[in-house]
Amino acid sequence: MPPYISDNRGAMHTGDGDLYYMAFFADAADRSRKARLASIKELDWLRQRYVHPPGYGQAYDILRTHRTLLLDGAPGSGRSTAAKVLLRELSSGGERFHELSWEDENGKYRVEPDLIGDDDRVWLDLSRAHERIWHALQDDLSSLRKRVDQHGALLVVVLPARGSETLWPQFGPLHSWVDRPSALEVLRRHLRLEGVPGAATSPQPAFLSTDRPMLEIARFAGFVRKAYENTTGTGYPDWYKAAERASTGRGPEVATVVSKLRFGPQRALLLATAMLHQAHVDHVYSAATALLETVDYADERHSLERSDLIESLHDIGAELDAGRRVRFTDLGYDAAVRTHFWHNMPGLRDGIQRWVATMIDRPDLDDTERDELVMRFAEQCLHSMHLQALVDSVARWTKGPKPYRRQLAADRALRYALSVEEHGRFFRRQIYQWATDSHISDALAQVIIIICTEVIAVTHPDQAIVRLHHLARRESRTADARTALLGMVDGDPWMRRQLLARLTRPPTVGKQWDSDVDLFLELADPAAFTAPGTRNRPLIVEAEVQNMLTEGWRRAFQKRGEVDWKTGLRQWLRTAFQDDRHRDVLIGVLVAGGAQRGDVLARLYSEARALPLSIAESREQYAAFIDLILQKIFAVQGIRVT
């Protein structure tokens, strides 16, 4: 039996082999639902901290009245946050919240209306998109609006800079502008919810003397809280001073310090302290030693000749707390050190990557220290010129034997990267490329499965389905992706419909995947398609769903033998017999699927006649059921019965 963990963030590991997320795949549906609930809590967290700006009321009224809003505003004014808050305020919490993609699998600029389901709350964020993309997407806006109205959904489109200048006249009534909220009120709201005393009457810091993006103000508030918790000074002037120094960067100061640390061990300790900030001193010291070994630094001095640990920490501006954990005395100094080494010492980047991989494998680091190390490394890579470094690291971590700690590290790094809006699209695209690669390692495939189910499915459910589907097509040694994919759509009619559409769409040029037939046979649970969905409307009543199911059964009958589809056929017939409301449609789908195969229709008829009956089921009902099947078989064969 392979080793496993019971939670994708737990530390349980048994056995000597590679780590397999066995328990995860068994309850993928439950995990996916919990992830969606967590996303609602995140929206509520955002809503609590949001200060309504001028123009918000008008935007609210347009969205409530027209169900579609084209939201405009100056860069940094928080309009993307406004979009999410608006959608949350116009909801009960049970709706699906997700972002629409403006680029399809082939890199074309388009938005698919079918990605909007009943009562969905969706946003299309074009704030970082080029104007030509917005111009191209206006062609899709009418069909999007129609879909929104038909399904009782709400849509907010965040316009790019100067997007209103090319707005088509017919969309003018949907346009609204939101100004920047009061920066001081935003800061006070954050401080109050962060638990900093006296937040309601806190003075305005010099930091707000210039217009700051809302994200920077939120980050500044976090530093103020840390300054308060660290008892830096006695009140807001001191807390603000410390927070401003941390927020505006300390690059020149760190550069001066590094220039004075001429020996490799000193610089190694400085970087190790920054990367493992507030970790136990033993772990920081061993990390510094490992860094020297990784970059092949030879220190011939005897340990008696070297500075002791306290002196060494003092030299780099660090200290030990009561728990013997290492920290810098100045707020934000650790981040400035990390940035200096990564961006100003390019010759060391490869060594840092290799060193981080070495540290991930060390059993002496606890989960928190390892997570912090990975996220701090990922943070340095999240720059347009260094994204590939994180991609390469994740791929490297998930290769070779016993990758379980590195799997967890890869999971943590990707979660962090996807949470950064500026780079989320890049990493979702990278995960797509991995998912379509038949040669990725099993360990990386398992990480992708969990990321799709717990992270991507929350904000981009359509993309999660696509990536898991590609993995399921290519896996040979396990069925983990298939299990997770089917589990994710279980109990979710919209996602089930999306997967059905992918499995039954017309073949395109290229490889045909026989595994899609097997996926269809597992997906085609008649109880799921006849269950009351959103608005008490089962999927099976949709004509398009009926056509897709018919095509799925046609391919199954054509490409698989009776032993493969007989169980599903019996289940379908049994449901049709018991469900008089949907009996005609269920039988019609099966018969139409086997219309070109006389042997299949004969088997369908014989299986129907062999259905076991309970005492409560009358012979008259059974006879009518068999008669209905015969009528439909005769009809598809062109036989007229008088």
Side-chain angles (χ1 to χ4, degrees):
M1 179 177 179
Y4 70 97
I5 57 173
S6 60
D7 185 275
N8 75 304
R9 271 299 306 120
M12 179 181 294
H13 176 254
T14 63
D16 298 322
D18 290 349
L19 177 69
Y20 292 100
Y21 293 71
M22 300 295 290
F24 172 87
F25 303 118
D27 63 351
D30 184 55
R31 287 177 177 269
S32 185
R33 283 190 288 270
K34 287 181 179 178
R36 287 198 291 271
L37 289 175
S39 73
I40 297 296
K41 291 182 179 179
E42 290 178 8
L43 285 173
D44 288 338
W45 183 94
L46 201 64
R47 182 183 177 188
Q48 285 180 323
R49 286 156 177 77
Y50 187 73
V51 174
H52 290 183
Y56 184 89
Q58 182 185 20
Y60 181 96
D61 291 339
I62 291 175
L63 181 59
R64 183 181 56 182
T65 303
H66 297 285
R67 313 197 74 88
T68 298
L69 168 68
L70 306 182
L71 190 61
D72 211 345
S77 61
R79 61 199 189 281
S80 296
T81 299
K84 298 174 188 178
V85 172
L86 282 162
L87 292 170
R88 182 66 184 98
E89 290 192 346
L90 285 168
S91 70
S92 63
E95 301 86 354
R96 179 196 304 276
F97 290 80
H98 61 100
E99 182 177 0
L100 293 177
S101 305
W102 44 265
E103 186 178 36
D104 64 15
E105 295 176 42
N106 300 315
K108 295 181 179 179
Y109 301 140
R110 65 186 305 270
V111 181
E112 178 55 60
D114 285 346
L115 299 181
I116 301 174
D118 289 339
D119 302 320
D120 279 2
R121 302 297 187 256
V122 294
W123 65 94
L124 177 62
D125 192 347
L126 302 176
S127 58
R128 294 185 176 90
H130 194 276
E131 289 180 39
R132 68 175 181 276
I133 297 174
W134 164 234
H135 187 269
L137 292 180
Q138 287 196 70
D139 285 329
D140 297 330
L141 191 53
S142 294
S143 56
L144 282 176
R145 289 194 63 201
K146 181 179 179 180
R147 177 82 179 186
V148 164
D149 292 339
Q150 289 175 340
H151 290 266
L154 295 177
L155 166 66
V156 179
V157 180
V158 181
L159 298 184
R162 302 175 60 185
S164 59
E165 297 179 7
T166 56
L167 183 66
W168 294 357
Q170 62 266 37
F171 299 138
L174 308 178
H175 177 261
S176 185
W177 178 281
V178 290
D179 288 318
R180 289 174 53 86
S182 165
L184 180 58
E185 287 306 310
V186 171
L187 177 62
R188 286 174 171 173
R189 178 75 60 88
H190 277 275
L191 292 176
R192 178 174 61 82
L193 292 170
E194 293 280 359
V196 182
T201 57
S202 57
Q204 178 162 321
F207 183 79
L208 299 183
S209 59
T210 58
D211 286 345
R212 301 277 185 177
M214 294 299 108
L215 285 176
E216 286 190 17
I217 296 175
R219 186 167 177 263
F220 179 79
F223 282 127
V224 174
R225 175 184 57 80
K226 289 181 180 179
Y228 157 67
E229 292 175 344
N230 294 341
T231 63
T232 304
T234 59
Y236 275 100
D238 293 327
W239 300 338
Y240 282 165
K241 183 178 179 181
E244 186 162 0
R245 291 182 68 196
S247 297
T248 55
R250 313 180 67 158
E253 179 183 349
V254 171
T256 299
V257 171
V258 173
S259 68
K260 294 178 180 179
L261 299 175
R262 304 307 303 173
F263 299 107
Q266 293 176 307
R267 293 184 174 187
L269 183 61
L270 179 65
L271 180 56
T273 299
M275 294 294 285
L276 288 167
H277 197 237
Q278 295 187 320
H280 193 275
V281 63
D282 291 347
H283 300 165
V284 174
Y285 178 77
S286 63
T289 302
L291 176 58
L292 292 172
E293 294 172 353
T294 301
V295 298
D296 298 324
Y297 181 89
D299 187 1
E300 303 297 338
R301 292 179 300 163
H302 193 278
S303 58
L304 289 173
E305 299 175 353
R306 301 170 187 161
S307 301
D308 64 33
L309 191 55
I310 300 300
E311 182 183 355
S312 297
L313 291 174
H314 180 269
D315 289 343
I316 64 171
E319 64 181 10
L320 293 179
D321 66 11
R324 292 188 63 78
R325 293 184 174 274
V326 182
R327 67 180 184 183
F328 289 113
T329 54
D330 290 339
L331 192 64
Y333 194 78
D334 58 314
V337 169
R338 294 191 295 269
T339 298
H340 177 84
F341 274 92
W342 182 260
H343 291 277
N344 298 321
M345 304 180 87
L348 195 59
R349 286 180 196 142
D350 182 65
I352 292 175
Q353 287 180 259
R354 289 184 283 113
W355 171 63
V356 169
T358 299
M359 294 305 300
I360 287 170
D361 275 332
R362 295 180 70 105
D364 53 329
L365 291 185
D366 62 35
D367 287 344
T368 300
E369 291 171 340
R370 186 178 295 105
D371 284 350
E372 292 291 341
L373 172 67
V374 169
M375 287 192 290
R376 287 162 180 162
F377 170 70
E379 182 182 29
Q380 298 309 311
C381 296
L382 292 183
H383 182 280
S384 58
M385 296 184 63
H386 306 306
L387 298 178
Q388 192 61 39
L390 187 57
V391 171
D392 294 342
S393 292
V394 168
R396 191 178 299 117
W397 295 343
T398 49
K399 285 182 180 178
K402 297 184 179 180
Y404 67 97
R405 290 191 183 92
R406 283 175 273 137
Q407 275 184 291
L408 295 178
D411 175 276
R412 180 59 61 189
L414 288 176
R415 285 173 188 263
Y416 182 80
L418 289 167
S419 72
V420 179
E421 291 188 6
E422 183 181 356
H423 302 298
R425 178 168 162 267
F426 172 89
F427 282 95
R428 289 193 301 272
R429 186 68 186 176
Q430 177 59 52
I431 289 171
Y432 174 83
Q433 292 174 3
W434 277 328
T436 56
D437 182 356
S438 301
H439 303 293
I440 64 170
S441 67
D442 289 344
L444 179 55
Q446 289 167 348
V447 170
I448 293 173
I449 291 169
I450 291 176
I451 290 294
C452 285
T453 309
E454 289 196 344
V455 182
I456 299 179
V458 174
T459 55
H460 298 79
D462 56 307
Q463 293 189 11
I465 290 173
V466 169
R467 284 145 184 77
L468 284 177
H469 184 204
H470 279 296
L471 282 173
R473 283 171 162 176
R474 291 163 173 80
E475 62 186 350
S476 57
R477 290 181 291 274
T478 71
D480 294 339
R482 176 187 297 189
T483 301
L485 177 59
L486 293 170
M488 187 175 68
V489 306
D490 187 38
D492 190 317
W494 180 88
M495 295 186 83
R496 183 176 291 273
R497 190 185 191 283
Q498 294 301 312
L499 179 56
L500 177 66
R502 283 188 61 83
L503 295 175
T504 60
R505 65 186 181 184
T508 56
V509 177
K511 184 176 182 179
Q512 304 300 307
W513 298 91
D514 288 343
S515 58
D516 282 357
V517 176
D518 302 320
L519 270 170
F520 169 79
L521 289 172
E522 293 189 68
L523 182 73
D525 176 6
F529 282 96
T530 56
T534 53
R535 302 185 177 184
N536 199 31
R537 185 176 60 195
L539 284 172
I540 195 68
V541 303
E542 296 184 36
E544 191 173 2
V545 170
Q546 295 170 24
N547 293 335
M548 291 188 289
L549 286 169
T550 297
E551 176 62 18
W553 278 112
R554 185 192 68 78
R555 295 184 189 182
F557 293 143
Q558 181 182 40
K559 295 178 178 293
R560 289 291 182 268
E562 182 180 324
V563 67
D564 297 310
W565 47 255
K566 184 166 62 176
T567 299
L569 176 69
R570 289 174 175 173
Q571 183 184 22
W572 202 270
L573 288 169
R574 186 65 184 171
T575 300
F577 178 71
Q578 295 174 336
D579 187 351
D580 57 353
R581 182 180 179 184
H582 304 111
R583 181 179 301 144
D584 188 83
V585 173
L586 290 169
I587 295 301
V589 164
L590 276 182
V591 172
Q596 299 176 356
R597 295 280 300 274
D599 58 328
V600 169
L601 294 177
R603 172 53 65 184
L604 189 160
Y605 177 72
S606 64
E607 289 291 344
R609 291 190 58 88
L611 282 178
L613 298 178
S614 67
I615 297 176
E617 293 165 338
S618 68
R619 290 291 172 181
E620 291 80 6
Q621 179 185 358
Y622 175 70
F625 175 69
I626 296 298
D627 184 59
L628 175 63
I629 292 176
L630 278 176
Q631 290 179 28
K632 290 191 176 294
I633 290 176
F634 289 154
V636 298
Q637 292 180 329
I639 301 174
R640 298 185 62 183
V641 180
T642 58

